[in-house]
Amino acid sequence: MRTTNMTRIAATAAVVALAAAGCGSKSTASSSSSSSSSSSTSASSSSSSSSGGSASNASFLACMVTDTGGIDDRSFNASAWAGMQDAQKDGKATVKYLQSTTENDYVPNITQLEGQNCKLIVTVGGLMADATDSQAAAKTGQDFAIVDNSSADSKTNKPVPNVHGMQFNTAQGGFLAGYLAAASSKSGVVATWGGLNIPPVTIYMDGFWEGVQYYNKAKSKSVKVLGWDETNPGSGTFSNSFTDTNKGKSITDGFINQGADIVFPVAGGAGRGATASAKASSGKVKVIWVDSDGCVSDNEDCSVFLGSVTKGIETAVKKVVEDSAGGNFKGGTQDVLDLSNGGTDLVYGKQLGSSIPSDLQSEITALKGQITSGAIKITSPSQPK
């Protein structure tokens, strides 16, 4: 995804239960409209505690600002917060967060945390890149890490010395999901839709689309993809929200009416509209989740998850916090994570996974090796460089 900005607040451990699929990056994006004052109010009520599971005596304070999807989006933000909490459980840091309600909250939330002596501020999503860049330039002694963006300034494209980036090539995991969907569809029609037309979202959709095309060519089939065509991105379907489940359900119902029986929503919490549609289909429709293992982050909907394309946000955030706490902050650089190093993967649903034939699972395992070796080349323009 491209980039813009986000914020709001909170800081307790219990919230980490999950994450939805909010993705972000620079671009113009619509987000829910609640004023930053509401985010400030909740900040004062929750910033007194620093969340995480076990208490930590670590003096290193690491802080996080969420995207507008919120801390409990069951995917993107929740995964980042889980990584923060993991670092606290390891005794390496004390952690807290502020939650963004709208993009107008990004800079105020970052500024508030700067005033609380946070040694590291983690911003979640490429949509926060502009806010992160501006604050990093204004306060060069403050260390930042950003999820789904490089360390380069969005305007100059030069590395920012006090920003560390974390990027994920989820087109690879998306490719596997597309192949699985095409092979599993009984109707010959599958679908994908996104929260916003930005690279952190479309990278998943590109991979999914390419995986279906690869299956069609390999098996001489003609499975159709609704909602996205990598060669014609202007025709894609988007909810323009990472939180609007009603819109997500409406989009999914429309695809089901066109014959789709497997749906791949890339839209954070709005993706739960797809799970609602699938649950109402009496078993005819299945969902492939994104960012986190849906059967873990959204266990109540596990019965409709054929699989999930995971994104290694939790591990990446934990590492950057613990590295920073140990005096090894790598500003001006970024981690680019993919299938080969835990940055993405395809995991099968805990309930529906057993229905996936063993020969298909073997084919997908072989595809992973071909992708990591470079034998299969994914062409998504949204892949991190």
Side-chain angles (χ1 to χ4, degrees):
M1 312 178 176
R2 255 148 223 133
T3 32
T4 349
N5 329 354
M6 340 185 188
T7 46
R8 195 173 152 196
I9 47 195
T12 64
V15 230
V16 165
L18 319 157
C23 317
S25 178
K26 250 163 229 159
S27 138
T28 54
S30 59
S31 53
S32 69
S33 130
S34 226
S35 70
S36 63
S37 62
S38 76
S39 114
S40 302
T41 303
S42 60
S44 59
S45 67
S46 61
S47 60
S48 57
S49 66
S50 64
S51 144
S54 6
S56 168
N57 294 321
S59 60
F60 186 89
L61 179 59
C63 305
M64 187 183 100
V65 179
T66 76
D67 188 351
T68 55
I71 200 71
D72 56 355
D73 62 358
R74 302 177 190 240
S75 86
F76 190 72
N77 292 288
S79 294
W81 181 232
M84 300 285 287
Q85 290 183 306
D86 290 344
Q88 175 161 298
K89 290 172 187 174
D90 281 354
K92 301 297 176 65
T94 296
V95 301
K96 69 193 303 181
Y97 73 87
L98 293 182
Q99 183 162 268
S100 305
T101 302
T102 75
E103 293 173 8
N104 292 331
D105 292 333
Y106 299 161
V107 169
N109 280 350
I110 293 171
T111 301
Q112 184 174 337
L113 291 176
E114 288 171 344
Q116 294 176 13
N117 298 314
C118 297
K119 303 290 181 59
L120 174 71
I121 297 176
V122 177
T123 56
V124 185
L127 286 173
M128 295 196 71
D130 288 339
T132 305
D133 291 345
S134 66
Q135 294 304 107
K139 197 157 185 178
T140 55
Q142 172 70 61
D143 290 340
F144 293 88
I146 182 167
V147 174
D148 261 354
N149 210 73
S150 74
S151 64
D153 182 276
S154 57
K155 297 180 177 64
T156 66
N157 205 33
K158 293 180 179 177
V160 180
N162 55 330
V163 175
H164 179 78
M166 291 168 274
Q167 295 180 289
F168 306 85
N169 193 349
T170 51
Q172 295 180 343
F175 183 101
L176 300 175
Y179 190 94
L180 171 64
S184 303
S185 175
K186 291 181 171 56
S187 66
V189 181
V190 300
T192 182
W193 56 273
L196 288 173
N197 191 347
I198 54 178
V201 168
T202 58
I203 185 174
Y204 276 109
M205 298 168 74
D206 285 344
F208 183 84
W209 184 86
E210 290 184 39
V212 174
Q213 309 316 307
Y214 187 91
Y215 174 84
N216 284 341
K217 184 174 181 180
K219 304 292 185 179
S220 298
K221 300 292 185 181
S222 55
V223 177
K224 183 178 180 181
V225 182
L226 303 177
W228 187 248
D229 180 341
E230 185 180 321
T231 65
N232 184 20
S235 66
T237 300
F238 299 89
S239 59
N240 294 316
S241 168
F242 291 118
T243 58
D244 190 343
T245 54
N246 289 331
K247 181 67 172 176
K249 187 175 187 305
S250 174
I251 289 172
T252 303
D253 286 343
F255 286 146
I256 292 171
N257 288 337
Q258 295 176 65
D261 60 356
I262 298 178
V263 182
F264 185 57
V266 189
R272 296 196 75 208
T275 64
S277 295
K279 288 170 87 170
S281 75
S282 301
K284 295 177 182 176
V285 177
K286 300 175 179 65
V287 172
I288 300 177
W289 195 243
V290 297
D291 289 342
S292 61
D293 182 341
C295 283
V296 174
S297 64
D298 185 17
N299 183 61
E300 64 197 83
D301 292 327
C302 185
S303 63
V304 300
F305 290 134
L306 183 63
S308 300
V309 178
T310 60
K311 187 177 194 173
I313 296 173
E314 180 176 345
T315 301
V317 169
K318 175 179 180 284
K319 184 178 186 300
V320 76
V321 171
E322 295 192 353
D323 283 352
S324 299
N328 194 27
F329 175 75
K330 299 181 180 72
T333 68
Q334 53 276 327
D335 300 319
V336 178
L337 305 168
D338 56 26
L339 267 177
S340 69
N341 54 17
T344 187
D345 203 353
L346 173 67
V347 298
Y348 303 126
K350 289 181 172 53
Q351 295 180 35
L352 296 181
S354 60
S355 69
I356 300 170
S358 59
D359 58 344
L360 175 55
Q361 293 190 37
S362 295
E363 288 178 35
I364 290 172
T365 298
L367 290 174
K368 289 182 184 182
Q370 292 174 282
I371 292 171
T372 55
S373 71
I376 292 178
K377 299 193 184 303
I378 293 173
T379 59
S380 169
S382 297
Q383 294 175 98
K385 305 295 187 284

